[in-house]
Amino acid sequence: AALARAEEGDAESALCHKWVGILLGALGTYLPTKEKVANSFRIRDALQTAAEMRPADGSVQLALGEWCFKVAGIGWVEANAAKLLFGQAPESTYAEALDYYERAWERKPSKKAAYKASLACDKLSRGADSAAWRTRALELPGAGAADAEIDRLAAAAR
């Protein structure tokens, strides 16, 4: 409800759209399938609006990559539930996720963008590219616990 009020009250704010998308995405972990699928369309739309309004914002590109990666991995049960409930399931591919991760990297190189690009490359059976992205992630200086965790994951995947 608070997110809907924020969208209505500040529909011209790119940051509002960005955070609506990010927060709804984070809520997905705690929601039943029906609500998760319903929110997936709102997440995509909010993030796409934010990307149009803030084309230089790498974090929006990263969030769109996350959305694509999650949607590309939706299982048969969730996809068919979405079709029954909403007439269609959200659609994306790992290639589309990789494209957004690369855009995020171009705008602002980060360990997270590089590591997520490596995961998308893994899904696309592009092992050499995945290894190159992991190396990029490991070569960037870290800043905090989240970056240390990415370093651990990237090093373990070698």
Side-chain angles (χ1 to χ4, degrees):
L3 290 176
R5 285 195 308 273
E7 283 178 302
E8 291 169 10
D10 206 358
E12 298 303 313
S13 170
L15 289 174
C16 178
H17 291 289
K18 170 183 168 176
W19 284 102
V20 164
I22 290 171
L23 292 172
L24 282 174
L27 278 174
T29 306
Y30 308 103
L31 296 175
T33 299
K34 181 179 178 182
E35 288 180 62
K36 192 184 318 185
V37 172
N39 283 342
S40 70
F41 297 106
R42 281 186 65 201
I43 293 165
R44 179 201 58 208
D45 293 346
L47 292 173
Q48 286 177 336
T49 299
E52 291 167 10
M53 297 171 84
R54 293 179 60 96
D57 188 337
S59 64
V60 174
Q61 300 299 318
L62 189 63
L64 279 163
E66 290 288 273
W67 185 87
C68 292
F69 194 89
K70 287 178 184 173
V71 169
I74 286 177
W76 183 87
V77 172
E78 283 184 309
N80 282 304
K83 288 176 188 172
L84 286 171
L85 295 168
F86 303 103
Q88 65 178 352
E91 294 180 8
S92 192
T93 65
Y94 292 116
E96 190 174 7
L98 177 59
D99 184 51
Y100 281 117
Y101 294 143
E102 288 172 338
R103 289 182 202 177
W105 175 267
E106 290 166 4
R107 284 156 178 78
K108 184 178 179 187
S110 70
K111 286 184 174 288
K112 187 172 185 178
Y115 180 67
K116 294 295 185 169
S118 78
L119 296 178
C121 286
D122 284 339
K123 293 291 188 180
L124 295 166
S125 299
R126 292 172 46 186
D129 291 335
S130 178
W133 279 111
R134 283 193 307 276
T135 298
R136 288 180 190 153
L138 291 167
E139 288 175 345
L140 282 178
D147 282 350
E149 178 64 9
I150 289 171
D151 282 345
R152 185 188 71 73
L153 294 169
R158 282 187 159 178

